[in-house]
């Protein structure tokens, strides 16, 4: 299960007790959608690029016929879904969910022994492809800009060195490279792979481009006085 940490704040801002139509752009575990649907005069249109959650969406479609519908789409594709009227609110819950992180087969977790995937769904590339094909300069820029990693140069250099010896396909291989590249410090409380993994996930899923397109398309279907959050 996944519990959205900002649930109370989102419900307060959306004010679903007055009814209305809302779009949940990152359905995930359905926390926002289910809470909004608890208010009898509401409708929810949900989107998610992740195919793994469709069993849950089917249950909600059955429980709330005519009030809930789901599209297996990225939120940049908001302009392609059927909307009968302008909506009262559009919700974006960004980043990775605990559901995705706990599924070790998908390669998001440092503890995974699986292949370097990191796709949230409907992605053109995988982290494995990026790691084994990007130039050293591009790897450095991805890790430095999207991960804000100070030691991006060394990590990128060591990735190039190691992939010449053997293709980097598993999460554990990349974790080992990053550990060897990072300066050891007892003051750093986060896992040394955190920033590089963040950078690769953002790049693979085009998260910044997706957000920009999503917000632009959301403004086109929003009622006057409606909210984007």
């Amino acid at each position: 299960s996944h519990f959205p940490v900002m649930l109370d704040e989102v419900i307060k801002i959306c004010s679903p007790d007055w009814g209305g139509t809302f779009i949940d752009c990152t359905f995930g575990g359905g926390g926002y959608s289910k809470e909004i649907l608890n208010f009898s005069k509401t409708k929810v249109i949900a989107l998610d690029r992740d195919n793994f959650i469709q069993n849950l969406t089917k249950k909600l479609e059955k429980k709330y016929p005519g009030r809930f519908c789901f599209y297996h789409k990225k939120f940049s594709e908001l302009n392609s879904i059927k909307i009968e009227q302008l909506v009262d609110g559009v919700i974006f819950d960004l980043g990775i969910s605990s559901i995705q992180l706990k599924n070790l087969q998908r390669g998001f977790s440092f503890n995974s022994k699986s292949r370097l995937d990191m796709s949230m769904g409907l992605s053109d590339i995988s982290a494995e492809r990026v790691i084994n094909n990007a130039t050293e300069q591009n790897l450095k820029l991805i890790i430095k800009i999207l991960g804000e990693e100070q030691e991006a140069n060394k990590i990128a250099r060591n990735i190039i060195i190691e992939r010449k010896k053997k293709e980097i396909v598993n999460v554990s291989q990349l974790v080992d490279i990053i550990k060897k590249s990072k300066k050891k410090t007892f003051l750093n409380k986060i896992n040394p792979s955190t920033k590089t993994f963040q950078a690769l996930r953002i790049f693979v899923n085009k998260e910044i481009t997706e957000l920009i397109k999503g917000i632009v398309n959301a403004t086109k279907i929003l009622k006057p006085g409606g909210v984007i959050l």
Side-chain angles (χ1 to χ4, degrees):
S1 62
H2 171 74
F3 182 79
V5 294
M6 300 293 289
L7 180 60
D8 291 341
E9 291 82 357
V10 167
I11 296 302
K12 184 176 181 180
I13 293 170
C14 287
S15 300
D17 46 322
W18 295 96
T21 301
F22 300 89
I23 299 183
D24 185 353
C25 286
T26 43
F27 178 82
Y32 296 123
S33 290
K34 287 186 282 188
E35 187 65 24
I36 291 171
L37 288 166
N38 283 333
F39 297 86
S40 60
K41 297 180 181 179
T42 57
K43 293 182 179 180
V44 173
I45 301 168
L47 289 79
D48 206 298
R49 64 192 297 171
D50 197 333
N51 194 41
F52 283 77
I53 50 86
Q54 291 202 52
N55 284 338
L56 179 56
T57 62
K58 288 175 182 178
K59 290 178 182 178
L60 284 184
E61 286 176 332
K62 186 175 181 179
K63 184 176 181 180
Y64 299 102
R67 292 183 54 206
F68 176 81
C69 65
F70 174 77
Y71 292 89
H72 180 215
K73 290 180 178 287
K74 297 179 285 187
F75 53 66
S76 62
E77 302 173 299
L78 265 174
N79 59 333
S80 70
I81 67 175
K82 183 181 179 181
I83 298 175
E84 296 177 354
Q85 58 186 21
L86 295 179
V87 302
D88 297 88
V90 182
I91 303 164
F92 296 90
D93 189 359
L94 307 177
I96 190 171
S97 75
S98 57
I99 296 172
Q100 293 165 330
L101 193 61
K102 289 175 181 178
N103 186 339
L104 299 183
Q105 307 249 333
R106 303 183 68 177
F108 290 112
S109 170
F110 317 131
N111 299 317
S112 173
K113 305 298 180 185
S114 298
R115 296 183 78 90
L116 275 164
D117 185 7
M118 297 194 193
S119 169
M120 293 178 172
L122 303 177
S123 300
D124 299 324
I125 57 174
S126 65
E128 178 187 342
R129 182 175 166 189
V130 176
I131 287 295
N132 287 288
N133 293 280
T135 64
E136 181 177 344
Q137 176 65 9
N138 284 342
L139 279 173
K140 182 186 76 174
L141 290 174
I142 290 168
I143 297 168
K144 185 175 183 179
I145 295 172
L146 299 181
E148 299 181 336
E149 172 58 73
Q150 293 182 351
E151 296 175 75
N153 286 9
K154 193 170 182 181
I155 294 171
R157 176 92 285 265
N158 285 338
I159 287 172
I160 299 297
I161 292 170
E162 292 301 322
R163 82 184 191 191
K164 287 179 180 178
K165 302 176 188 176
K166 182 180 179 181
E167 190 176 17
I168 302 167
V169 296
N170 295 321
V171 171
S172 55
Q173 289 176 272
L174 181 58
V175 168
D176 288 341
I177 293 169
I178 297 168
K179 283 181 179 178
K180 293 174 184 176
S181 305
K182 294 275 289 180
K183 295 175 184 176
K184 293 180 174 62
T185 172
F186 296 103
L187 297 177
N188 195 348
K189 295 182 180 180
I190 67 169
N191 187 294
S193 298
T194 299
K195 294 183 177 181
T196 300
F197 271 57
Q198 172 188 298
L200 288 169
R201 189 203 78 222
I202 291 172
F203 185 81
V204 166
N205 297 288
K206 301 179 181 177
E207 291 181 42
I208 295 174
T209 305
E210 283 292 307
L211 178 59
I212 292 169
K213 289 183 178 179
I215 292 174
V216 169
N217 286 328
T219 62
K220 299 174 183 178
I221 56 175
L222 198 67
K223 283 182 182 179
V227 295
I228 296 176
L229 63 157

